[in-house]
Amino acid sequence: MHCTRRITDDLYYVGASDRRLNMFENLYPVPKGISYNSYLIKDEKTVLFDTADHAVSELFFENLSAALGDRTLDYLIIQHMEPDHAALLQSLIRRYPGVKLVGSAKTLTLIGQFFGEVNAEFTAVKDGDTLPIGSRELTFYTAPMVHWPEVIMTYDPKSKTLFSADAFGTFGALGGSIYADELNFEKEWLPEARRYYANIVGKYGQQVQMALKKVTANDIERICSLHGPVWRKNIDWYMDKYQKWSSYQPEDPDDVLVVYGSLYGHTKNAAEALAATISHKGARVIVRDASNVDLSEILSETFRCGKLVIACPTYNMGMYPPISHYMQTMKEHNIQNRRVALIESGSWAIASGKLMRESLEGMKNMTIAEPMITVLSSIREDQCAVFDALCDDLLGSNAQ
Ligand code: FEO
């Protein structure tokens, strides 16, 4: 049975959620599932914003058919070609012959790559192009690399809605309510929204900033993303999160994230001793074992916290692999503007400290607190003063 929601008189939610998927992009755990959002405007023309993932095809087509009623589909706006939104393109064209496709020029290239020839007219749109559909004209904005090169966003002036593609999305299945203001978003959804942003779009902060600058020139009363709830209240609050994330400014400048790798517990011991010292001095601190906590969550907390402690054993003359992977991921996602304390360890030929420093030097505006702690097999009681000094330097000033 269909499961649609009416958002305004002529705007409908026709998407669907998946709670059986283990990993989004076969990479990121989604224990709370994920929604594939799709929206339909019924004006003089009917306009669909994106299809959905194969996994929800049955409900998606039922929803679309129910929302259309006795009308056919005139336009499909393809805001994003990633298969979680575009997988059903061919099926849609077969069901609604005559549907016209709208996207960026790059969209057409990707349609060819994914599907070969499709039997539908395609219109390529650029920044500021419009499409009259009856009582209003939709305006299109290119948003390259948010999160693929072909992405467009769409503004509907009648409902003052921004159709934002992946932007403002979150992991998590929708159920019942589709509105952020009907959920306990800050407590129950924000960590997943942050994890989604950091891992999916986080690398492209500059492109997110450029897209935000363009679309926020409009009066936005509603944001309809391709994942997660619809925003109709407190939009400025969520916009502020996006401004911070996309400019790599920490949400919590004084919070400390401790990430450690440890083979037998000695580096863990040093990380926890430093965390205890940090807490004793009044800062909020969380500790994550890089071997046991999913990297997507650690990256998400890295976006949130202003201060980092990284503790790494030497392994095969390099960094312990989970920490090496973490630092590579930080670099790939353009993490910057953080203050970082380092703990190196090993029992001979210790190299991890030097390698961590080199890695941080390859990132922008990363300040290393001193002195670095060296764990020679295990930490000793007489190192307490070094812990204290490092803690003071880490907490002493902000990276801003
Ligand atoms: Fe939700 Fe980039 O696809």
Side-chain angles (χ1 to χ4, degrees):
M1 183 177 163
H2 73 270
C3 186
T4 60
R5 289 292 302 271
R6 196 169 195 154
I7 297 173
T8 68
D9 283 354
D10 60 4
L11 170 61
Y12 298 78
Y13 177 88
V14 295
S17 286
D18 183 357
R19 293 184 185 78
R20 299 179 70 180
L21 185 72
N22 283 323
M23 291 197 289
F24 182 70
E25 293 186 353
N26 211 11
L27 188 57
Y28 306 110
V30 280
K32 296 177 179 174
I34 186 142
S35 70
Y36 304 109
N37 298 342
S38 182
Y39 306 92
L40 178 72
I41 291 177
K42 289 170 73 176
D43 203 315
E44 285 174 27
K45 299 292 182 185
T46 57
V47 181
L48 178 69
F49 293 86
D50 298 283
T51 68
D53 190 89
H54 267 305
V56 297
S57 64
E58 197 169 335
L59 184 55
F60 165 74
F61 281 118
E62 267 191 82
N63 283 350
L64 179 57
S65 172
L68 281 169
D70 58 4
R71 300 185 60 182
T72 190
L73 183 62
D74 296 310
Y75 288 102
L76 169 67
I77 312 297
I78 305 170
Q79 300 193 111
H80 190 10
M81 275 299 294
E82 193 167 6
D84 54 331
H85 310 293
L88 304 177
L89 178 62
Q90 280 284 33
S91 309
L92 185 95
I93 294 168
R94 279 197 287 270
R95 283 170 192 250
Y96 299 99
V99 65
K100 293 177 177 149
L101 312 181
V102 177
S104 66
K106 289 195 174 76
T107 304
L108 187 58
T109 305
L110 288 173
I111 289 174
Q113 289 173 197
F114 276 107
F115 299 102
E117 286 261 320
V118 295
N119 188 21
E121 182 183 319
F122 182 89
T123 302
V125 292
K126 307 180 299 300
D127 262 324
D129 282 358
T130 56
L131 178 69
I133 59 169
S135 64
R136 78 271 243 171
E137 285 189 347
L138 302 174
T139 305
F140 302 106
Y141 298 91
T142 59
M145 302 320 297
V146 187
H147 126 249
W148 279 17
E150 85 295 357
V151 169
I152 59 171
M153 298 182 187
T154 311
Y155 181 69
D156 169 20
K158 183 178 178 187
S159 62
K160 298 185 177 176
T161 298
L162 174 68
F163 296 92
S164 63
D166 271 346
F168 302 103
T170 172
F171 294 132
L174 293 173
S177 179
I178 62 165
Y179 298 108
D181 56 275
E182 293 176 350
L183 307 167
N184 190 343
F185 191 89
E186 185 162 7
K187 187 174 172 202
E188 294 175 7
W189 286 74
L190 181 58
E192 285 296 80
R194 186 187 301 112
R195 189 167 68 92
Y196 173 87
Y197 176 86
N199 289 278
I200 305 296
V201 198
K203 177 179 178 60
Y204 304 110
Q206 195 180 351
Q207 289 87 343
V208 172
Q209 291 264 309
M210 284 165 59
L212 289 181
K213 203 170 169 188
K214 282 193 270 190
V215 297
T216 54
N218 295 296
D219 180 12
I220 297 171
E221 288 188 357
R222 190 177 292 97
I223 297 177
C224 289
S225 168
L226 290 177
H227 299 287
V230 171
W231 284 81
R232 60 183 179 179
K233 292 181 182 171
N234 297 327
I235 287 176
D236 287 350
W237 177 85
Y238 200 31
M239 197 66 84
D240 181 61
K241 297 290 178 199
Y242 256 69
Q243 292 289 1
K244 284 208 172 82
W245 295 337
S246 58
S247 58
Y248 303 98
Q249 299 302 325
E251 273 170 270
D252 298 310
D254 298 326
D255 279 17
V256 183
L257 167 66
V258 178
V259 182
Y260 73 84
S262 190
L263 289 76
Y264 296 104
H266 298 99
T267 314
K268 167 180 178 279
N269 184 212
E272 289 190 330
L274 187 61
T277 308
I278 290 165
S279 178
H280 182 70
K281 289 179 184 283
R284 196 161 55 179
V285 58
I286 59 170
V287 178
R288 296 289 183 265
D289 178 351
S291 298
N292 288 306
V293 177
D294 192 81
L295 183 56
S296 68
E297 190 198 318
I298 297 177
L299 182 68
S300 176
E301 289 298 321
T302 305
F303 268 77
R304 184 180 68 78
C305 296
K307 297 185 170 73
L308 309 173
V309 175
I310 308 175
C312 182
T314 303
Y315 197 86
N316 286 335
M317 296 304 293
M319 284 189 267
Y320 187 54
I323 296 294
S324 175
H325 193 189
Y326 169 55
M327 298 198 75
Q328 180 62 29
T329 301
M330 283 170 69
K331 186 167 187 211
E332 286 169 1
H333 287 76
N334 281 325
I335 292 290
Q336 46 195 278
N337 307 320
R338 300 297 189 273
R339 196 166 183 85
V340 189
L342 298 175
I343 301 174
E344 63 171 0
S345 67
S347 292
W348 70 94
I350 295 176
S352 55
K354 176 174 174 285
L355 294 169
M356 285 191 286
R357 281 182 191 276
E358 286 172 2
S359 178
L360 289 169
E361 281 163 13
M363 304 178 207
K364 279 190 198 156
N365 196 23
M366 301 295 269
T367 306
I368 300 177
E370 303 291 353
M372 179 171 67
I373 290 171
T374 299
V375 181
L376 184 59
S377 297
S378 65
I379 50 172
R380 306 178 313 271
E381 290 296 331
D382 65 7
Q383 287 180 285
C384 278
V386 185
F387 278 70
D388 215 52
L390 176 58
C391 190
D392 283 344
D393 195 31
L394 178 68
L395 301 181
S397 59
N398 291 334
Q400 310 313 301

